[in-house]
Amino acid sequence: MAPLKLGMVGGGQGAFIGAVHRIAARLDGCFDLVAGAFASDPARAHASAAELGVAPDRSYADYADMAVAEAARADGIVAVAIVTPNHLHGPIAEAFLAQGIHVICDKPMTATLAQAQSLAKVATASDAQFFLTHNYTGYPMIRQARQMIAEGMLGDLRMVEAQYLQDWLAAPADADNKQAAWRTDPAQAGGGAIGDIGTHAYNLACFTTGLTGQALSATLTTHVPGRAVDDDARVTVDFPGGIHGHIWASQVAVGHENSLTLAIYGSAGGLRWAQEHPNQLWFTKLGQPPQLITRGSSASHPAANAVTRIPAGHPEGYLEAFATLYREAAAAISGAPRDTDALLGIADGLAGMKFIDACQRSSRQNGARIEL
């Protein structure tokens, strides 16, 4: 498959996630970055484009102009990656979808539920596709866990535990910390820990089990004085069939760097996975010793092998998981035969925003049970 022409909005000089998306997009040779509106400041946008080798006539100061101009070009972009702060995801995605350009959007889908609902309407009316990059769903051992659960290897599911713990916001952030500035601004982020990492934990719980929460009760706390968003979230989720879930997301848990963990327990067995050791999955059958399944090993499922690039024992992680999502998006855009139903889209993004919104409403009501 020839590389698809890709554009990017955001991700210019000093940005973190933009560079990650660019690496992921080119890792498997599926995309070629040819255009972008890399920053809201025109000078920085054009300087970023020059650094990235994007031609001056494909560097834009405004995303709306970019959407119209690229749609009109015979060699225009096929897809755009959106890597801006959350509050801009919705309007940018709508502008490109309206021009028939596919959208690959970083999570969460938007900053508010209202924005997500507006985007969902535009996406439904567009011929272009919308992809959401919850990157942890691209890990081989997460695909393994998903398949094992689907095949009934855990028996009847009972409990789902997902935790995402960090400590990088345990103290007031420096004034020049760009990442902290927008992620702790409710107008740009829409929420704190619950939106930034809590939505990852919830999405992973749903992705692996195939379940969607029915209701939840949440307590969102702000520990750092003066902070305008939550930095710790405790959520109890009711899944169908009486399955109990718990989500803990914290950015003030001192001693944790990027500790995303998932545990799922059923009547016949349990699974445990940790993002900081992503090539390992622990599986325990009832009454038997724990079994360590490693990526690429003889116990690795075809669903996991399909997204494995290198031999067993060679570390494969964060960037490759992102690249898996780009590769699958490219295949979907190109109309290639689908060998997976793991791609996330508008429905998943909307579910994530409903989760965040319900958590915020529940917490304001002292942990009241809120329907999802």
Side-chain angles (χ1 to χ4, degrees):
M1 182 175 66
L4 302 176
K5 291 182 173 60
L6 178 71
M8 178 170 283
V9 179
Q13 294 172 332
F16 161 67
I17 203 65
V20 171
H21 278 256
R22 287 191 291 272
I23 294 169
R26 67 174 181 261
L27 187 61
D28 294 315
C30 296
F31 290 95
D32 183 17
L33 181 67
V34 299
F38 296 104
S40 56
D41 173 70
R44 191 158 62 88
H46 296 317
S48 299
E51 288 182 3
L52 296 169
V54 172
D57 67 327
R58 310 290 290 271
S59 174
Y60 301 88
D62 181 80
Y63 69 82
D65 293 340
M66 176 181 166
V68 173
E70 287 295 322
R73 294 181 65 120
D75 63 346
I77 60 172
V78 174
V80 65
I82 301 175
V83 291
T84 64
N86 305 342
H87 71 298
L88 297 173
H89 290 181
I92 296 171
E94 290 183 16
F96 282 90
L97 289 170
Q99 296 295 328
I101 296 172
H102 304 286
V103 171
I104 302 170
C105 185
D106 200 51
K107 66 81 216 167
M109 189 162 80
T110 54
T112 68
L113 179 57
Q115 291 173 349
Q117 291 168 333
S118 173
L119 174 53
K121 291 180 181 178
V122 174
T124 300
S126 175
D127 292 332
Q129 300 181 67
F130 178 93
F131 306 98
L132 187 68
T133 58
H134 272 290
N135 59 295
Y136 300 108
T137 64
Y139 279 107
M141 289 296 94
I142 287 298
R143 299 292 176 91
Q144 171 99 14
R146 186 172 189 253
Q147 192 64 36
M148 291 173 69
I149 292 168
E151 293 178 2
M153 295 182 69
L154 271 62
D156 296 328
L157 297 187
R158 293 174 173 173
M159 298 169 290
V160 182
E161 298 281 326
Q163 298 184 0
Y164 202 154
L165 308 180
Q166 301 173 334
D167 66 1
W168 74 290
L169 291 176
D174 295 334
D176 61 351
N177 188 327
K178 181 180 178 180
Q179 293 299 315
W182 78 259
R183 292 177 193 273
T184 57
D185 177 3
Q188 295 186 73
I194 192 59
D196 196 22
I197 58 176
T199 185
H200 266 313
Y202 177 68
N203 172 264
L204 205 57
C206 296
F207 179 82
T208 51
T209 62
L211 302 172
T212 299
Q214 293 181 322
L216 60 76
S217 173
T219 300
L220 309 185
T221 306
T222 304
H223 289 278
V224 175
R227 183 165 287 161
V229 296
D230 64 278
D231 49 30
D232 186 271
R234 316 291 180 105
V235 188
T236 299
V237 183
D238 296 335
F239 289 104
I243 300 167
H244 299 288
H246 180 255
I247 308 293
W248 177 23
S250 182
Q251 293 175 315
V252 295
V254 176
H256 291 275
E257 294 175 340
N258 199 61
S259 181
L260 171 60
T261 60
L262 178 69
I264 303 167
Y265 304 100
S267 59
L271 289 171
R272 293 181 289 117
W273 179 82
Q275 191 274 153
E276 292 179 337
H277 303 281
N279 295 295
Q280 301 177 348
L281 177 68
W282 286 97
F283 172 49
T284 305
K285 292 182 179 180
L286 182 64
Q288 297 185 22
Q291 174 189 359
L292 176 61
I293 301 173
T294 56
R295 182 199 52 78
S297 69
S298 60
S300 186
H301 195 280
N305 295 336
V307 295
T308 294
R309 292 171 179 79
I310 55 180
H314 295 73
E316 186 173 326
Y318 183 76
L319 295 173
E320 290 87 353
F322 251 114
T324 291
L325 304 191
Y326 269 87
R327 185 173 66 193
E328 292 174 345
I333 290 169
S334 301
R338 299 286 289 274
D339 60 357
T340 178
D341 60 353
L343 276 170
L344 303 182
I346 282 290
D348 304 281
L350 195 55
M353 293 312 303
K354 288 179 179 179
F355 169 75
I356 295 169
D357 180 75
C359 286
Q360 292 171 331
R361 288 190 289 124
S362 174
S363 187
R364 287 195 296 266
Q365 299 174 44
N366 299 314
R369 187 176 186 273
I370 302 292
E371 299 287 334
L372 284 167

